[in-house]
Amino acid sequence: MRKQFLECGKIVTTQGIKGEVRVQPWCDSPDFLLGFDTLYLDGGRSSLEIERSRVQKNVVVFKFKGTETVEEAVTLRGKVLYLDRADVPMEEGEYFVQDLIGCTVLDADTGRDYGKIYDVRPTGANDVYYLKDAAGVERLVPAIPDVVLSRDLDVGIVTIRPLEGLFDDED
C-alpha cells in the first residue's frame, strides 16, 4: 500500500527574523520542493501553506503563511515535512523511493524470499537496495535491469534474478 503523504525534508533551523525556516530536503534535488503550494506536518494531519520558497545552497528556505516572526518559526524546528502524493505529477513507471521500503524481494526463478527492502542508496551509477531477511541476514542488490526484473509496488513485491556470485551465501 502506497502512502499518501511522503516525507520530503526536515526543518533544521530558522532563517532571518521574518518567520522563514531552512529545510534539509530529502529528495533528488532541493529544486523539487519549489513546485509545491502546500506541505504537511504530522504525517499529513496538518498543512502549511507556502508563501514563498527559494533554494539556498543545499537547503530550501520556506516562508509559511501565518509564521511571521522568528519566535513562531522556532516552534517548527525539528519537524518533518510531508508532501501529498496527489500533488506530484508522475509518468507511468515512475515511483518514489519510499514506495520500495518494505517491499519483499523474491527470486524470479526459485521464488526464494531474500527479505524486505529497508533502504535505497544511490551509488552514482545505480541505486542499491538494502535488504534484510527474517533471520537478520543483510544483502545488497544493485538496482540494474539485469538484476531487478519487476517492481509491483501495489502488492509490495520486487522480483530479481541475482547475478552469479551476487550473494555469498548461495550454494
Side-chain angles (χ1 to χ4, degrees):
M1 180 81 185
R2 298 182 194 198
K3 295 190 281 185
Q4 183 66 33
F5 293 94
L6 304 168
E7 296 174 355
C8 64
K10 183 176 184 176
I11 299 172
V12 291
T13 192
T14 60
Q15 169 82 22
I17 61 170
K18 296 186 179 181
E20 292 182 320
V21 295
R22 295 172 62 85
V23 172
Q24 181 63 53
W26 295 343
C27 42
D28 292 340
S29 160
D31 294 320
F32 176 76
L33 293 181
L34 299 180
F36 294 92
D37 297 324
T38 305
L39 291 175
Y40 300 85
L41 297 172
D42 305 318
R45 289 187 285 282
S46 63
S47 63
L48 293 170
E49 195 173 340
I50 299 168
E51 192 172 299
R52 65 180 175 269
S53 60
R54 67 185 182 280
V55 173
Q56 193 172 63
K57 296 188 180 175
N58 63 341
V59 299
V60 183
V61 177
F62 284 106
K63 168 64 175 74
F64 297 115
K65 288 187 180 172
T67 305
E68 306 302 327
T69 66
V70 69
E71 291 80 14
E72 292 170 330
V74 164
T75 66
L76 297 172
R77 192 179 328 165
K79 296 204 181 276
V80 173
L81 292 173
Y82 294 79
L83 60 85
D84 186 339
R85 176 186 296 275
D87 293 340
V88 183
M90 299 193 58
E91 299 292 324
E92 182 69 31
E94 287 185 318
Y95 54 88
F96 290 100
V97 167
Q98 291 181 46
D99 293 334
L100 292 168
I101 305 300
C103 284
T104 299
V105 178
L106 301 177
D107 190 297
D109 300 316
T110 66
R112 179 176 175 184
D113 182 338
Y114 289 112
K116 294 188 182 299
I117 299 173
Y118 70 87
D119 196 8
V120 177
R121 297 181 192 167
T123 64
N126 55 269
D127 287 346
V128 174
Y129 298 167
Y130 285 68
L131 320 177
K132 191 178 286 187
D133 68 15
V137 176
E138 295 188 56
R139 293 182 175 85
L140 306 181
V141 174
I144 58 175
D146 287 348
V147 176
V148 178
L149 304 182
S150 68
R151 298 170 189 89
D152 188 339
L153 302 177
D154 291 325
V155 295
I157 301 289
V158 174
T159 305
I160 68 169
R161 181 169 290 128
L163 297 172
E164 187 173 334
L166 182 61
F167 300 137
D168 292 337
D169 63 342
E170 301 296 306
D171 298 328

